[in-house]
Amino acid sequence: MMDLGGLQTILGDRLVTSEADRTQHGRNETYYPTTPPDAVAYPETTEEVSAILAHCHAQGIPVTACGAASSLEGQHLAIRGGISLDMSRMARVLSVNAEDLTCEVQPGLTRKRLNEELRDTGLFFPVDPGADASIGGMAATRASGTTAVRYGTMRDNVLALEAVMADGTVIRTGSRARKSSTGYDLTHLLIGSEGTLGIITALTLRLSGIPEAVTAATCRFPSVAAAVDCVILTIQSGLPVARIELLDEVMVRGFNLYSEAGLPELPHLFLEFHGTPAGVAEQAETFAALAADFGAEGIATATKAEDRTKLWTMRHDAHYASAALGPGKRICATDVCVPISRLAGAVVWAQEECVRLDLTSTIVGHVGDGNFHCGICVDPDDMGEMARVEDFTHRLAEKALALGGTVSGEHGIGIGKQGFMDAEHGPAVAYMRAVKTAFDPRGILNPGKLLPEAQ
Amino acid sequence: MMDLGGLQTILGDRLVTSEADRTQHGRNETYYPTTPPDAVAYPETTEEVSAILAHCHAQGIPVTACGAASSLEGQHLAIRGGISLDMSRMARVLSVNAEDLTCEVQPGLTRKRLNEELRDTGLFFPVDPGADASIGGMAATRASGTTAVRYGTMRDNVLALEAVMADGTVIRTGSRARKSSTGYDLTHLLIGSEGTLGIITALTLRLSGIPEAVTAATCRFPSVAAAVDCVILTIQSGLPVARIELLDEVMVRGFNLYSEAGLPELPHLFLEFHGTPAGVAEQAETFAALAADFGAEGIATATKAEDRTKLWTMRHDAHYASAALGPGKRICATDVCVPISRLAGAVVWAQEECVRLDLTSTIVGHVGDGNFHCGICVDPDDMGEMARVEDFTHRLAEKALALGGTVSGEHGIGIGKQGFMDAEHGPAVAYMRAVKTAFDPRGILNPGKLLPEAQ
Ligand SMILES: Cc1cc2nc3c(=O)[nH]c(=O)nc-3n(C[C@H](O)[C@H](O)[C@H](O)COP(=O)(O)OP(=O)(O)OC[C@H]3O[C@@H](n4cnc5c(N)ncnc54)[C@H](O)[C@@H]3O)c2cc1C
Ligand SMILES: Cc1cc2nc3c(=O)[nH]c(=O)nc-3n(C[C@H](O)[C@H](O)[C@H](O)COP(=O)(O)OP(=O)(O)OC[C@H]3O[C@@H](n4cnc5c(N)ncnc54)[C@H](O)[C@@H]3O)c2cc1C
């Protein structure tokens, strides 16, 4: 039996069992059914997290961390019951070391709030998933976003972690130094572990200087293949684009509906260039020349911060703009990543399959990384449609593997993609499982996620 | 008893027990005593590595991989006997995917040879430790070099691995996609593990385009503090230098002796700028303006490939140039890395300590990363001098930790720095040990290295 009494002693009224709170923590932004935890815990310090885990470890109570609950493969859902460990009250910036381009933050801080707090320093944290996710959740899913092509993903922008391990032990991994060769890389082992190996309670982040000059650009192409071929050549030519995003014609239709974008309903690229004024101008010119060869039209640039914010806000609303295409439906957001040379083939294949299966789906992607998403409108109660969606997402994942890629570039595994772990990783899965067993022998941390169930 | 018979069956005459071969594999570039293995194995395929490990696992025979034997903390020495697994016959480029800016190589390939083979593709592999190390050894030590400030370290430039685990199981980690969120990051767990968790048998590397324009620059400063302060501001201002190397006045004296450099014996910076012709010119100008404020003199630039090669060859010979200052002595090369804002304090402290302890030491560093090395001349038979060297390296490591840094930026732990693992990582060491036990329960992989002996 779950001993909530012990947790109450630790947390007082910050252990909540109300229906409303439980339901809220059982929700998700995609099509998984609502799955409330038995209780929600709101720790405020690392010591509390440690005490909670020590108790749950002793009692065998499942603990599923929750950041902003924006993950798209069901990661934050407490599918085995137990507590949802809501990190939102651990959301402070602990320190900013502007001279070192680093800061230390608590995990519940969201990326937008962090960048607001950094504003006066001339620095920013570049990783930007569409949602205003928590930094801890972003680390736990190894998130990325529109700027990963230039600034990297969470893998590249976290220098050090504080984490509470399953039995309550508090560890620190990494340091504020930019590199190190001292021992096993536990920082990267925790990044992407989806709360199954430890609870992140502080993160040292690498910051970047706000570029002197920024220019955004948009243009349209006669076909998705032309747009993607243009991206491939842009990347191959070494142009240091800061953002290069594909939106297929269906996605553009969604933006026209949701954001009144008024764009011609053709495939588009949205770009951004960062650098010195001269450097940015040179990049924009090089790109324009290159894009013309692929039939790009209507190249428009934006330098005013206001116009750029509008553009990227629209882009970040892609999930909701996809939903606008299927009123009353949910969005299944599936995500794959392939070597850049295989991108055109993969995107065109996905478009054709959706047509063949009579699915309404947008395609949008951080294409500079070879990464794209399909936002498929689906009615979870329509069994026929659900079956076609599953058929599609399965075959898209298999396609990505066949092309030398991965079944998820950034959304992760959760409960949505466990079935592909063996296909992608083969015998390596046993070593992942060995890590899990060594770190969390009682299996209390986010049970039922990431690793496929052992046969 | 060690059953070499079984290994002979696998390897035939590629299992060698000659005195010469054993001694050669027991040597090192620093001051550790020569420590020959019982035998040297020369595998040619992954299957052979797998068969060797399966046998050694069954028999409890220690296996220590050897790449180019250039590691500086005794990593490749078979201190518990057993076999030295020489990877030099697995040294092919397996494939180059120029369109994806990736290649796959065998671990025994050296970095120079790789770049020769890539020459016609317009691409290069940027990580460049001073020695012509093997790519496998570089991954195993999480190596970096002069270009890490711009292109990152081995951590950032390895996309995927094939590895043979302790019992002979062959796994693949990662993929050719530029990013992934699928499961625990075994790639980064193996990178930096110094051959204690698995033997790397293939690596997928991220390549970079050879920049359109390259300019090298050198200049001298009135003091080491002025040079380092100039570096700090350069990095903070976001100037995308491709290389920025510090050489203190002692190091310059070494270059004058070893390479007939004819440089004024003052602290120098060596730099390189990569980009478009206009971009490189802009960077060089920005740097010159900035350096002038720190009293820089004699700024000289080099654009001809030949002159640049001469400059960087000289830099890469720093280890041997240090040795030129102490004829007949060995070099203890110690390495720390601190947050960039602490760099001046650390470097000046190190210089003063060497003077105080009457040690002849060069200081040279990848200072853009906050990383520097002392190359201390030492006679291993002079117990008094050895004691002072040890006193110095210990206190330098402690200093680095006190400044928020790490006891090694790139050389690693091996047998030289195990004593600092607890100080740097605290309770996290137990989780590293748990990984080791889970992956190599019989402890055959490079025993006695990296992890401190359990109490
Ligand atoms: C509109 C929209 C757009 C999106 N766009 C992107 C995108 O561009 N790129 C991208 O990568 N993702 C994207 N996502 C997915 C999502 O935003 C990311 O997965 C994000 O990283 C999740 O962060 P979160 O704070 O919401 O975490 P949650 O959803 O709360 O949790 C995610 C996982 O992390 C674990 N976790 C949370 N906090 C901690 C902690 N402190 N310690 C340990 N584990 C923890 C949870 O247990 C769970 O397993 C998008 C989602 C939406 C809804
Ligand atoms: C003159 C000089 C300059 C140097 N400059 C730098 C520098 O700038 N930056 C830097 O980082 N280092 C530098 N070093 C140190 C050294 O070059 C690096 O540590 C290098 O990465 C070692 O590679 P190697 O092939 O020589 O490996 P080795 O010395 O042969 O082995 C190193 C470790 O890796 C393991 N290993 C080797 N191959 C494999 C494999 N296939 N699978 C698993 N484990 C394996 C070994 O068991 C050992 O633990 C320098 C050394 C010298 C002598």
Side-chain angles (χ1 to χ4, degrees), chain A residues 65 67-71 75 130 133-134 138 140-141 144 194 200 366 410 446:
Chain A
S70 71
S71 51
Q75 281 96 338
S134 74
M138 286 163 61
T141 57
S144 50
E194 299 187 352
I200 297 166
H366 312 310
E410 53 180 36
N446 208 0

Side-chain angles (χ1 to χ4, degrees), chain A residues 122-136:
Chain A
L123 301 171
F124 77 115
F125 183 66
V127 187
D128 70 330
D132 189 20
S134 74
I135 303 292

Side-chain angles (χ1 to χ4, degrees), chain B residues 65 67-71 75 130 133-134 138 140-141 144 194 200 366 410 446:
Chain B
S70 71
S71 51
Q75 281 96 335
S134 74
M138 286 163 62
T141 58
S144 51
E194 299 186 352
I200 297 165
H366 312 310
E410 54 181 35
N446 208 359

